[in-house]
Amino acid sequence: MASTNKYQCIGFAVLLILGALASQATSRSIKDASISEKHRQWMAHYGRVCKDTEEEEKRLKIFKDNVEYIESFNKAANKSYKLAVNQSADLTNEEFKLRNGFKSHGYSTVASSFKYENVTATPSCMDWRKEGVVTPVKDQGDCGSCWAFSAVAAVEGINALKNGKLISLSEQELVDCDINGGDHGCQGGLMDYAFQFIQKNQGLTTEANYPYSGTNGTCQRNKAAQHAAKITGYEDVPTNNESSLLKAVANQPISVAIDAGGPDFQFYSSGVFTGECGIALDHGVTAIGYGTSDDGTKYWLVKNSWGVGWGEEGNMRMQRDIDAKEGLCGIAMQSSYPTA
């Protein structure tokens, strides 16, 4: 009898073990299915289609790794900003960096006039959106044309300040037509070169007249000749000087270059960005203000060109006045603005 009970107990234990293993396998299956379903929903939301099963499996693996990274980051304490799944969630960080199209091509700023040098009083905070001189956030797509979006936003700003009317201007004109200098369309460019082109061309047309396609195209000269905004030139902000940058941003939206290649930049969602980044400038954006958060952290308000699904409706707050002359992510290294 005892022997029979012994074998019954062993058999029951084996069943428990097998049941546990089956339960673990089911849990893993459910977890994997959940990620797969999330990926399918994400693909549907962003209109993504994989060309074959192998490519879809590759993208699913990248998506899973990125989701895990985002969730792990957001669980950590004492973070001033959050990350979220966005349109680049199935890209590796190396693939993501390819859209950052700022390329100085050896360009170096030269000493020139700085019209705001003698500014002594600046407001404690500034948000040019509230002043009606910033157009809604745009999306450069997979084209490395950030330089064009940065320059255009700055020109839109000074044009609105001068004429009292905000007009959305054409990035595609720069992508297609600004090709005889240092700018190379979707392959990258520099805001200063864009300002030079606009000045030489005697203006820039509207976005409505010359809409954005996100690809390199042939210059439509008839449309490019229908100018909606003009500039008289441009100036560089003294390099590695956040104080000078503040004087400039207090007076108009400013084109700035930053190092935006890190994973936290890729998935930034909200809060004041204080993350790790270098000074390898690879992305052009527009400083459209500054302020101080509720916890006392000073920040720059930056307009990006990755659509409203990234960051705070397409914008970012970046920590200001850090203990480095270049500023966080090199924001004070190479900034400029159009004059009118």
Side-chain angles (χ1 to χ4, degrees):
M1 189 71 174
S3 177
T4 300
N5 289 337
K6 176 181 177 181
Y7 288 122
Q8 287 175 340
C9 290
I10 292 174
F12 184 65
V14 170
L15 289 173
L16 285 175
I17 293 171
L18 291 173
L21 290 173
S23 177
Q24 290 175 10
T26 302
S27 296
R28 285 196 297 270
S29 176
I30 291 173
K31 182 180 179 182
D32 291 342
S34 177
I35 285 291
S36 297
E37 182 58 30
K38 286 180 181 178
H39 187 228
R40 281 193 291 270
Q41 292 174 0
W42 178 91
M43 289 177 66
H45 179 75
Y46 288 103
R48 300 290 178 85
V49 178
C50 289
K51 58 185 179 181
D52 53 46
T53 302
E54 184 178 347
E55 176 67 16
E56 185 170 355
E57 290 177 352
K58 175 185 175 182
R59 292 298 150 192
L60 173 59
K61 173 64 167 60
I62 296 170
F63 180 84
K64 181 176 180 292
D65 291 343
N66 285 335
V67 169
E68 289 176 351
Y69 175 80
I70 291 165
E71 291 178 346
S72 175
F73 178 92
N74 288 338
K75 288 178 182 177
N78 301 320
K79 295 292 186 180
S80 62
Y81 62 100
K82 294 292 185 181
L83 308 182
V85 172
N86 57 27
Q87 68 266 34
S88 62
D90 74 338
L91 300 178
T92 66
N93 187 243
E94 290 302 316
E95 290 171 330
F96 164 76
K97 290 178 183 179
L98 295 176
R99 74 189 306 181
N100 296 345
F102 175 85
K103 299 183 186 299
S104 63
H105 303 294
Y107 180 93
S108 60
T109 56
V110 295
S112 63
S113 60
F114 176 50
K115 65 187 295 184
Y116 302 119
E117 181 68 40
N118 297 321
V119 170
T120 56
T122 56
S124 60
C125 62
M126 173 56 70
D127 184 343
W128 284 112
R129 295 174 301 181
K130 295 179 180 179
E131 304 302 318
V133 301
V134 180
T135 57
V137 168
K138 305 177 185 182
D139 192 345
Q140 69 186 75
D142 294 327
C143 172
S145 55
C146 62
W147 58 276
F149 283 83
S150 173
V152 164
V155 174
E156 289 170 342
I158 194 63
N159 184 61
L161 285 168
K162 178 185 177 184
N163 300 317
K165 185 177 181 180
L166 180 61
I167 302 172
S168 184
L169 300 173
S170 175
E171 291 84 11
Q172 193 63 42
E173 179 183 341
L174 291 175
V175 171
D176 291 350
C177 304
D178 181 15
I179 56 175
N180 294 320
D183 292 332
H184 302 283
C186 290
Q187 281 62 57
L190 176 69
M191 289 79 82
D192 281 8
Y193 291 147
F195 295 144
Q196 290 174 11
F197 170 84
I198 296 168
Q199 182 183 10
K200 183 178 180 180
N201 193 52
Q202 299 183 349
L204 193 65
T205 194
T206 65
E207 182 178 21
N209 184 49
Y210 203 147
Y212 187 67
S213 67
T215 58
N216 293 325
T218 301
C219 182
Q220 301 180 46
R221 301 194 182 281
N222 290 338
K223 291 185 175 182
Q226 300 173 36
H227 306 142
K230 297 182 179 182
I231 62 174
T232 56
Y234 71 95
E235 293 180 346
D236 294 320
V237 177
T239 189
N240 296 332
N241 190 326
E242 283 197 271
S243 177
S244 292
L245 182 57
L246 183 76
K247 292 179 181 179
V249 178
N251 285 277
Q252 67 182 90
I254 304 295
S255 288
V256 296
I258 56 175
D259 180 347
D264 288 5
F265 229 102
Q266 183 175 350
F267 301 116
Y268 167 78
S269 174
S270 62
V272 178
F273 182 80
T274 58
E276 295 182 6
C277 52
I279 55 174
L281 306 179
D282 65 358
H283 189 48
V285 291
T286 314
I288 58 171
Y290 56 84
T292 305
S293 65
D294 292 340
D295 66 1
T297 303
K298 295 180 179 179
Y299 63 82
W300 295 108
L301 177 60
V302 171
K303 180 186 181 184
N304 204 349
S305 52
W306 294 342
V308 296
W310 178 90
E312 297 178 329
E313 295 296 316
N315 302 292
M316 177 186 237
R317 285 178 290 162
M318 295 178 62
Q319 188 177 12
R320 174 168 59 93
D321 285 352
I322 68 168
D323 187 22
K325 63 181 182 180
E326 301 89 357
L328 186 66
C329 305
I331 194 171
M333 292 177 65
Q334 199 165 329
S335 52
S336 57
Y337 54 91
T339 56

